[in-house]
Amino acid sequence: GGVPPATDLVLGATAGCLACVLTNPLEVVKTRLQLQGELQPPGTYPRPYRGVLQAVGAVCRADGLWGLQKGLAAGLLYQGLMNGGLKAPPKAAKEGWGEPQPVPAWGLWGVLSPGVVPPQVKTHLQAQTLSAVAVGHQHNHESISGAFESIYKQHGVAGLWRGVTGAVPRVAVGSAAQLATFTSAKDWVCERQWFGEGSWAAVLAGGMVSGVAVAVTMTPFDVVSTRLYNQPVDADGTGKLYRGFLDCILQISSKEGLLGLYKGIGAVYLRLGPHTVLSLFFWDELRKM
């Protein structure tokens, strides 16, 4: 569309960040729900968070309205770098994913992005709250810069990427499920003439239908990723609760049941479609400007 590639990268990053501002509250809720009752049998622990809507209210009561934007700075850093290459997906989304080569490249960058940006800081900050409603380990960082400094001083550069083994399969599975189902879902919506072909409403509806498959396949990996990021560690950086990706899955399954791997699935689903489509929408509008 005549936009220089360098400018397009900036617009893609900006679009991802704008979407992040609107969907970060669901990230906070998702993190709290996934850490609730960690390694405890169902029904044996208090539940300060019961579903997405009640959890939103609980976060606001404990941390104020701004509590829904905990970890936002870390989220913006992650989204800005991850979505810098956003120009292929919007074009594909609006034109029916007709360009097969750029889309897998975008998916590959999504898989590699957790290795580029240390994402655990966001989880630490989102989990922090008052002791009365705290779930999971509390790292008690005062700010994003303080979190980076504290982790670096204690565990070095490698410590900033602790738990990334859970994030890479999470993004890989989520991207694969989305790419496999989005086109069919959007076409299904358009065939029923609910929305006009190529409209943003059709893209959003397709994203929400596709989001069911993505949420079901990705949530177990998302729970594992959250747990690995947030667990306390020894002086040498070894996790005190989980030895790694497979050990985390086995412990959750054995102690919390298989449904433990699906904690927070409601927040995962409600975030998926809107975040993707908002990124595409903002990108398109910024390019027009």
Side-chain angles (χ1 to χ4, degrees), residues 88-282:
K91 183 178 178 66
K94 293 191 72 178
E95 297 181 3
W97 295 84
E99 299 184 9
Q101 293 183 353
V103 174
W106 168 68
L108 177 61
W109 174 240
V111 172
L112 295 177
S113 57
V116 178
V117 186
Q120 67 166 299
V121 170
K122 181 179 71 171
T123 301
H124 290 185
L125 295 172
Q126 289 176 339
Q128 289 183 186
T129 185
L130 300 177
S131 58
V133 292
V135 290
H137 182 71
Q138 300 290 290
H139 292 270
N140 298 318
H141 302 303
E142 294 186 0
S143 63
I144 180 175
S145 59
F148 278 114
E149 181 180 0
S150 174
I151 295 171
Y152 176 75
K153 284 183 176 180
Q154 293 181 47
H155 308 294
V157 175
L160 293 170
W161 277 270
R162 179 178 53 80
V164 76
T165 53
V168 172
R170 167 191 172 273
V171 178
V173 170
S175 297
Q178 188 173 49
L179 292 173
T181 59
F182 177 80
T183 302
S184 299
K186 186 167 71 70
D187 290 344
W188 181 79
V189 169
C190 292
E191 285 172 3
R192 278 148 185 78
Q193 298 182 342
W194 293 348
F195 305 103
E197 180 75 31
S199 68
W200 285 111
V203 176
L204 176 59
M208 296 306 293
V209 174
S210 172
V212 175
V214 180
V216 169
T217 56
M218 190 178 74
T219 298
F221 297 93
D222 200 44
V223 172
V224 170
S225 180
T226 298
R227 298 287 182 86
L228 291 176
Y229 283 148
N230 196 67
Q231 71 170 328
V233 296
D234 294 328
D236 62 356
T238 303
K240 293 183 178 181
L241 299 179
Y242 313 105
R243 295 192 298 273
F245 180 80
L246 291 177
D247 180 60
C248 187
I249 291 179
L250 292 174
Q251 287 208 57
I252 294 174
S253 301
S254 63
K255 297 180 181 179
E256 302 175 48
L258 290 177
L259 290 180
L261 291 168
Y262 281 92
K263 288 183 175 180
I265 188 173
V268 171
Y269 170 73
L270 291 175
R271 176 189 173 276
L272 280 172
H275 181 85
T276 300
V277 176
L278 283 170
S279 297
L280 304 179
F281 174 77
F282 286 132

